[in-house]
Amino acid sequence: MTLDAQARPKNRGRHGGGGGRGGGDTKPRAPRPRRRILRWSAATLAVVILGTAGAGYLYYEHLNANIKKAQRNLGDSDVPEATPNAAGQTPLNILMIGSDSRNTAKDLKLGGSKADVGRPPLADVQMLLHVSADRSNMSVVSLPRDTMIPIPRCTTDSKKYEALSLAMANESLGRGGPGCTVATWQKLTRIHIDHFMMVDFSGVVDMADAIGGVPVCVRQNVYSHTSDGHGSGLKLKAGTHPVKGEQALQWLRTRYGFEDGTDIGRTHAQHMYMNSMVRQLRANATLGNPTEMRRLAEAATKALTVDEGLGTVKKLYDLAGELQKVPTKRITMTTLPTVQWSQDHNRLVPDPEDADQLLSMVRDDTPLDGRGAKHKSEQKAKAPSTPAGTLAVQVRNGTGTSTEAPTPARARAVTQVLQGKGFTRAGADVGAATEAKTLVLYPSADLEGDAQAVAKALGVPLGQVHRSTDVSGVTLIVGADWRTGDTYPKSRSADRTPSTAAVLSGDKEDACMEVQKGFTW
């Protein structure tokens, strides 16, 4: 949910400072030319901050103490930050997590049973918020809860969780906390996650109450309830209605009753709510009542768990200043394309082509709304520092998928192709991997030109060359897109968002959820 408060701080620069205590003067004042309006949006169940700034440093130290903090990354390795564009700018990536924890009395009352108390929490909402390097556009990618993905080894101060080759995406949160969810996303996407923000059930309700109603739409009457007690309990008449508090939580949790009754429909409803919330807050930014500002600030800071890099009101304010630069019409909501898992029709796996296409666009800082140039196109290829004949290249077989076994001896076959192109020190690596798309990885900046030379020799696009701390030298991972043949196949257009990503633009005001058959009244 979002928290949106307007403050009028005295004698402060762009990033604030100073006191501003107590209720303040509620009488109208003459406009000040350099006054900054500080708007704070702490996003719905996914905790996305999509508006502008903070609560004017109201009770600054008190609010700081409200914010809970956790380690950003609990995985064994990290993903390097994106290469800056020609202007020296880099993208910003924030992972929003909605926890289903029932470990407080309030959370338990909002959902679940006593048997849920004490169990590891699940990350039932996961959204990657990507803000472009030039701050002109913003992309949100949701991961359906039922998606089966690899989870890396995660380590806390007291426990080590071994890697899982395939598990439900929401299990990562219970393996040490949000830092393991960040590590899982980095493994899945090869995108560096700068920050995370997490909220639980009660935090969603508190923030929804604080901001008032957000308009949502259903095409038919809906009641999310089954005879055996499943469903969120959401009950609405056809049309557009403002939802807040527990009803907003019901909307965000509804699965039975929307579209086809899957988790994908639930992500679409969450996107609609978030877009509507942002439009409303940006159109009605004035909250002049100091009491309301305090209530909003309290709700947001108490609801959030963030990484250390966002652990103060000032840091949240600075982040919000970056997010506020993106116009609403350039916010694009998407869902990671998936297909049914062959081993269980109730589970999903990332679509080998469309999911990688979408993630490649985010990695390359390509706008998902189809406007603007790719980030990677602004970069020039670097000259190799090592002659091809003396460069050691490891070739790894990553051709396996969720439905197909790896092509036998594929690493050896491609090694021979690479040796024939002058890379005589190339060798087949016995290590296994699974990659939808062929990649060339390198561990340090001095090897980038060498990695690009390998890609160029094979016809692999430079957008598939990435820096990674998971390798010790230039490493070619032959992906599922190159299971046979000596020539790398031509890829699809890298600047078009797959239709299966269910794109929803931030300025689409007539979006309305279809109701699942059997859940109308």
Side-chain angles (χ1 to χ4, degrees), residues 15-166:
H15 297 295
R21 300 177 61 90
D25 184 4
T26 60
K27 295 180 179 179
R29 300 179 182 179
R32 296 179 182 176
R34 302 181 63 84
R35 179 177 294 157
R36 300 287 185 179
I37 294 178
L38 308 181
R39 234 193 277 164
W40 217 11
S41 291
T44 66
L45 190 56
V47 203
V48 61
I49 292 186
L50 290 172
T52 49
Y57 293 96
L58 188 66
Y59 299 120
Y60 182 76
E61 294 300 331
H62 167 71
L63 295 180
N64 282 342
N66 284 345
I67 302 170
K68 297 176 287 293
K69 295 176 281 293
Q71 189 172 333
R72 181 187 66 86
N73 179 20
L74 295 176
D76 289 342
S77 60
D78 210 347
V79 176
E81 295 183 22
T83 303
N85 63 13
Q89 304 163 310
T90 55
L92 181 62
N93 296 296
I94 307 164
L95 185 63
M96 280 69 70
I97 305 168
S99 166
D100 80 337
S101 171
R102 270 82 166 188
N103 292 333
T104 69
K106 189 170 183 179
D107 284 331
L108 182 61
K109 184 179 179 181
L110 291 168
S113 66
K114 291 183 178 179
D116 290 320
V117 177
R119 70 157 171 78
L122 299 171
D124 275 358
V125 175
Q126 299 178 47
M127 298 183 183
L128 176 63
L129 169 64
H130 172 86
V131 187
S132 66
D134 63 5
R135 305 301 188 253
S136 68
N137 65 91
M138 183 186 302
S139 303
V140 178
V141 180
S142 287
L143 178 65
R145 181 194 66 176
D146 296 336
T147 308
M148 303 296 291
I149 58 174
I151 298 180
R153 183 169 64 177
C154 293
T155 305
T156 68
D157 292 338
S158 59
K159 189 172 182 179
K160 180 180 291 184
Y161 299 85
E162 293 302 326
L164 301 176
S165 58
L166 210 59

Side-chain angles (χ1 to χ4, degrees), residues 294-327:
R294 286 196 296 271
R295 187 167 68 93
L296 295 172
E298 289 284 347
T301 53
K302 287 180 178 179
L304 294 175
T305 299
V306 300
D307 63 280
E308 292 287 348
L310 288 180
T312 67
V313 173
K314 168 99 170 39
K315 291 175 180 177
L316 288 169
Y317 166 65
D318 289 342
L319 170 63
E322 294 300 300
L323 301 181
Q324 111 182 60
K325 298 174 183 177
V326 180

Side-chain angles (χ1 to χ4, degrees), residues 223-243:
Y223 183 31
S224 178
H225 180 76
T226 65
S227 58
D228 57 354
H230 291 93
S232 70
L234 178 72
K235 191 171 186 179
L236 288 174
K237 291 184 177 181
T240 300
H241 310 274
V243 295

Side-chain angles (χ1 to χ4, degrees), residues 4 103 112 120 149 195 232 243 251 263 343 349 380 395 502:
D4 193 284
N103 292 333
I149 58 174
H195 302 291
S232 70
V243 295
W251 176 275
D263 198 44
Q343 298 183 35
V349 291
K380 295 181 179 179
V395 182

Side-chain angles (χ1 to χ4, degrees), residues 210-275:
I211 63 174
V214 171
V216 294
C217 176
V218 288
R219 294 197 184 280
Q220 302 88 22
N221 296 350
V222 62
Y223 183 31
S224 178
H225 180 76
T226 65
S227 58
D228 57 354
H230 291 93
S232 70
L234 178 72
K235 191 171 186 179
L236 288 174
K237 291 184 177 181
T240 300
H241 310 274
V243 295
K244 64 178 181 178
E246 292 188 30
Q247 193 175 44
L249 178 63
Q250 289 175 336
W251 176 275
L252 295 164
R253 295 185 64 203
T254 293
R255 170 176 177 169
Y256 300 108
F258 284 157
E259 296 183 350
D260 59 357
T262 69
D263 198 44
I264 295 175
R266 173 160 47 193
T267 66
H268 298 166
Q270 292 165 357
H271 293 167
M272 182 191 301
Y273 180 97
M274 292 165 63
N275 277 346

